[in-house]
């Protein structure tokens, strides 16, 4: 059955390594007959959560920016893919800012299959805290299932990930959903 797949690409680098893995995932998922949308967080206007709790009991943020529409898409998707470069052993600010802004409706992001993508100049050991932070988000979503973690290791400059196993892995992961 065709699934709705939402890929959230967190890198500020268009055509960067994690972005390339997102495209590979998208290619595989589309070829398998799914409906896929890739959203580049860098092109959206998403302010920081201000912890004002203005959303409490309302499910709506006081800030009127691109997060409103993105939250609708997250609630409606069957599969969510979160992608980030590793920055100082963690996810980048774009992805974390987006995650924090799910506060008004994160309990509605139910029963999703989640995939994580991360890229780093160093090896797998440098990515554990990044994946762990993403798992922490998954732990907050009712019924979430983490299906896989795609690890683009040893990649520094744009495009280097094409020469690593992660390039094919991302495609296969997309095909498998
Ligand atoms: C601010 C910043 C912090 C970084 N911190 C790390 C790090 O802690 N460990 C690491 O292995 N690579 C680190 N890198 C390198 C990136 O993770 C690497 O270049 C990655 O491939 C970028 O992915 P992208 O092309 O998708 O943006 C850092 C890069 C930047 C710009």
């Amino acid at each position: 059955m065709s699934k709705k797949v939402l890929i959230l690409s967190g890198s500020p680098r268009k055509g960067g390594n994690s972005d390339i893995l997102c495209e590979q995932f998208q290619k595989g998922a589309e070829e398998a007959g799914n409906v896929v949308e890739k959203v580049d967080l860098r092109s959206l206007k998403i302010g920081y959560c201000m912890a004002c709790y203005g959303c409490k009991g309302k499910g709506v943020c006081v800030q009127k920016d691109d997060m409103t529409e993105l939250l609708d898409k997250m609630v409606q998707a069957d599969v969510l893919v979160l992608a980030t470069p590793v920055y100082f052993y963690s996810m980048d600010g774009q992805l974390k800012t987006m995650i924090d802004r799910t506060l008004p409706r994160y309990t509605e992001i139910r029963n999703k299959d989640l995939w994580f993508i991360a890229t780093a100049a160093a090896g797998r050991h440098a990515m554990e805290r990044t994946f762990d932070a993403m798992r922490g988000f998954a732990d907050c979503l009712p019924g979430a299932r983490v299906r896989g973690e795609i690890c683009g290791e040893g990649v520094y400059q744009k495009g280097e990930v094409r020469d690593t196993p992660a390039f094919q892995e991302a495609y296969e992961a997309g095909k498998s959903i």
Side-chain angles (χ1 to χ4, degrees):
M1 201 184 69
S2 171
K3 292 181 180 164
K4 269 192 211 162
V5 182
L6 182 64
I7 302 175
L8 302 169
S9 179
S11 178
R13 283 210 292 197
K14 184 176 164 58
N17 294 311
S18 54
D19 213 28
I20 288 169
L21 295 183
C22 288
E23 286 165 7
Q24 283 292 97
F25 193 102
Q26 178 168 16
K27 188 170 174 246
E30 283 175 346
E31 283 179 19
N34 299 289
V35 177
V36 185
E37 182 177 5
K38 174 172 171 281
V39 172
D40 299 325
L41 297 182
R42 66 181 164 273
S43 65
L44 300 187
K45 195 172 177 309
I46 301 176
Y48 300 121
C49 174
M50 300 184 296
C52 67
Y53 295 99
C55 58
K56 202 170 177 194
K58 299 192 185 82
V60 179
C61 185
V62 298
Q63 298 184 64
K64 301 301 167 219
D65 61 15
D66 292 332
M67 197 61 204
T68 310
E69 190 184 344
L70 187 59
L71 264 172
D72 282 341
K73 290 179 181 183
M74 292 177 81
V75 169
Q76 285 158 21
D78 301 303
V79 179
L80 293 173
V81 181
L82 305 182
T84 181
V86 171
Y87 280 1
F88 296 103
Y89 290 97
S90 190
M91 68 178 77
D92 72 4
Q94 285 83 349
L95 185 61
K96 185 63 169 71
T97 299
M98 187 284 294
I99 287 175
D100 291 349
R101 286 289 305 285
T102 63
L103 186 68
R105 298 185 67 189
Y106 72 95
T107 55
E108 293 174 62
I109 305 174
R110 306 179 72 86
N111 303 324
K112 309 301 179 192
D113 283 345
L114 296 185
W115 289 83
F116 301 147
I117 293 173
T119 51
R124 182 71 172 83
H125 71 279
M127 307 168 101
E128 193 45 43
R129 281 173 273 189
T130 302
F131 286 127
D132 200 39
M134 292 201 260
R135 287 179 214 126
F137 177 52
D139 286 346
C140 299
L141 306 180
R145 295 164 300 262
V146 177
R147 291 296 191 197
E149 298 174 349
I150 300 160
C151 181
E153 53 184 320
V155 293
Y156 181 48
Q157 302 293 353
K158 259 185 175 183
E160 287 178 353
V161 79
R162 290 182 196 283
D163 302 322
T164 73
F167 188 68
Q168 184 65 17
E169 279 166 26
Y171 171 75
E172 300 292 346
K175 274 217 122 161
S176 75
I177 56 169

